[in-house]
Amino acid sequence: VVAVPIAQMLGALLAVAAIAKIRRFGAWRAALAGYRLVPARSAVAVAVPAAELAVAAGLLAGIAAAGWFAAALLAAFTLVLGAELASGSVPPACACLPWSGRPGRLTLVRNGVLGAAAVAAALGVRPHLGRGFWEASYVVLWLAVAALAVLVLALYRQVGVLHLRLGPRGALEEEGEGPELGAAIGHPAVPVGRPALVAFTSAGFQYV
């Protein structure tokens, strides 16, 4: 049985977002300028990452009150973003993470999930993953392996189809090397039942 550290996971996420804002402070301020409802943007640009770092430290330390502060931060961002989207304005990406895109309705859903995690961290909820979870994970893993096997076989078949479409090539698959396809080659008789060494040679290569 493994306990899920919700508070620590949420704290790590907030810490990464805050550090990304600080490292890309110019992009963060430019993104914040797209929120027309935010007053005193210069002060907010500094206060938000500072608050995220403080809340992240509290969550990583296991302080229950930090969960409520995290929920308040997420609620404030969700309300501002929802108002912007309702007015028909789509703010630019917040530069919170390198792969983050422009916020939208899915961002509101994501904030709702994170807000629920923040409340759970504030209440000290620690869900446990028992035997059922691990059995389900093994089933999913074996299904993924089966899907990969089918994919490899499909690719193998496509390679065969590609070879058929390209048509036959000469011996050794080198232009001008070896005998022509279908040509008779004189060779000594190979004794039946005895080991034998067969060599194919050309002007520049020798294959054994």
Side-chain angles (χ1 to χ4, degrees):
V1 177
V2 177
V4 180
I6 295 179
Q8 286 71 24
M9 293 172 63
L10 183 60
L13 181 62
L14 289 176
V16 170
I19 294 172
K21 289 185 180 72
I22 295 172
R23 292 187 61 183
R24 306 171 61 194
F25 191 72
W28 157 238
R29 289 194 61 178
L32 193 60
Y35 289 83
R36 299 173 298 176
L37 301 178
V38 176
R41 296 186 180 91
S42 298
V44 172
V46 177
V48 168
E52 288 178 339
L53 282 177
V55 172
L59 289 171
L60 292 174
I63 300 175
W68 297 116
F69 284 107
L73 282 176
L74 290 166
F77 174 60
T78 303
L79 289 175
V80 173
L81 177 59
E84 293 286 348
L85 294 177
S87 65
S89 174
V90 180
C94 67
C96 300
L97 297 171
W99 59 84
S100 60
R102 301 189 69 176
R105 295 179 179 178
L106 289 179
T107 308
L108 301 177
V109 177
R110 181 201 65 187
N111 288 350
V113 174
L114 294 177
V119 173
L123 297 176
V125 177
R126 293 177 62 89
H128 292 76
L129 304 179
R131 181 175 179 178
F133 171 80
W134 299 114
E135 290 177 349
S137 65
Y138 285 134
V139 171
V140 172
L141 178 62
W142 280 110
L143 289 176
V145 171
L148 288 175
V150 172
L151 179 61
V152 169
L153 291 177
L155 291 175
Y156 185 76
R157 178 180 179 277
Q158 288 301 114
V159 171
V161 172
L162 180 61
H163 278 291
L164 290 176
R165 290 182 178 179
L166 290 176
R169 294 180 59 84
L172 308 180
E173 296 194 2
E174 296 286 345
E175 298 294 340
E177 297 290 344
E180 296 292 334
L181 186 65
I185 303 174
H187 57 81
V190 179
V192 180
R194 296 181 182 180
L197 178 66
V198 180
F200 300 90
T201 63
S202 65
F205 300 93
Q206 181 174 355
Y207 296 87
V208 179

